[in-house]
Amino acid sequence: MSSSAAGPDCCGGLGNVDFGQADLYVMTWLLGYMDPLDPCFVAAVLTITFNPLFWNVVARWEQKTRQLSRAFRSPYLACYSLGAAILLLNVLRSHCFTQAMLSQPKMESLDNPTAYRVGLALLGVGSTFVLSSFFALGFTGTFLGDYFGILKEARVTTFPFNVLDNPMYWGSTANYLGWAVMHASPTGLLLTAVVALVYMVAILYEEPFTAQIYQQKASPSHKRS
């Protein structure tokens, strides 16, 4: 609580702070390192946001209609095809991410051997989470097989899922962060934040469905059927 009898704080209080000038300074600083209208930057943002949207929309459509399974005459072939499409889109996303970094200036304070080693370590940790998630889930488990009716006996709880929820997503985010730090790229850091934000939205969309289908699978009525 404050009191009107208290003396003025330093700088005359927050009422004397010109937030417009502060915002202008931040924008000037950011624009000194990146151009948000650069085609490479725009392409990176579009691919980052499009990929999870694509696989979630297609997977939900398949779960409701089984159109892909019927078209490929097998839920496994349909899942493998969607997985291949997702892999190609992720390669495109990584390419656009790299090109956006290379097309814009580096940050001098990050352009040193120590930061490079930190970025390399992040890349190692992220790759560990991504690869271990893939081996734990398998191809169909990684690429939305549950939407095709391809379920495991139970949700995977071994490493890395006993260490971190959604390790595939956060491992991928760590990879992009490490790649950005290794390139001393403020553009890469901003794009990594976009990656993390998009994955957070995807988790909110996917997690309830996954929990629901495995809860149904474990229910006595499902086992009797």
Side-chain angles (χ1 to χ4, degrees):
M1 296 178 66
S2 61
S3 169
S4 59
D9 56 17
C10 68
C11 305
L14 293 176
N16 290 338
V17 176
D18 187 346
F19 289 102
Q21 290 295 326
D23 291 342
L24 182 62
Y25 172 80
V26 172
M27 289 300 298
T28 301
W29 180 79
L30 284 174
L31 291 175
Y33 283 108
M34 66 185 72
D35 176 12
L37 299 180
D38 175 65
C40 292
F41 182 84
V42 173
V45 172
L46 289 177
T47 55
I48 288 169
T49 54
F50 173 77
N51 288 11
L53 177 64
F54 166 78
W55 71 61
N56 273 290
V57 169
V58 172
R60 285 295 178 100
W61 173 69
E62 162 63 16
Q63 189 264 333
K64 292 179 179 179
T65 67
R66 298 298 184 214
Q67 289 291 336
L68 285 178
S69 294
R70 283 197 284 269
F72 285 93
R73 300 178 182 273
S74 165
Y76 286 89
L77 286 178
C79 183
Y80 295 149
S81 299
L82 178 60
I86 292 171
L87 286 172
L88 290 174
L89 286 172
N90 286 347
V91 169
L92 177 62
R93 176 181 62 182
S94 296
H95 172 74
C96 291
F97 186 101
T98 302
Q99 292 303 308
M101 290 194 301
L102 295 178
S103 69
Q104 306 216 27
K106 291 184 175 183
M107 181 181 290
E108 294 81 1
S109 59
L110 282 179
D111 195 10
N112 59 75
T114 300
Y116 186 88
R117 287 191 289 269
V118 170
L120 196 61
L122 286 168
L123 199 61
V125 170
S127 297
T128 298
F129 279 121
V130 169
L131 292 175
S132 60
S133 298
F134 179 80
F135 289 127
L137 294 171
F139 190 94
T140 56
T142 299
F143 294 105
L144 305 166
D146 43 5
Y147 290 83
F148 293 82
I150 306 169
L151 303 178
K152 293 184 173 293
E153 289 301 317
R155 295 192 70 174
V156 176
T157 56
T158 56
F159 182 84
F161 294 89
N162 59 349
V163 175
L164 184 69
D165 290 333
N166 304 288
M168 180 74 74
Y169 282 165
W170 299 126
S172 178
T173 303
N175 283 341
Y176 282 115
L177 178 59
W179 196 234
V181 173
M182 289 172 67
H183 283 78
S185 173
T187 299
L189 295 177
L190 178 59
L191 290 174
T192 300
V194 177
V195 170
L197 179 61
V198 169
Y199 278 157
M200 289 172 66
V201 174
I203 290 168
L204 291 175
Y205 189 72
E206 296 170 10
E207 192 65 26
F209 173 79
T210 304
Q212 178 186 2
I213 60 172
Y214 278 100
Q215 184 178 13
Q216 291 175 350
K217 187 176 189 299
S219 67
S221 60
H222 184 276
K223 291 180 179 178
R224 286 196 298 269
S225 63

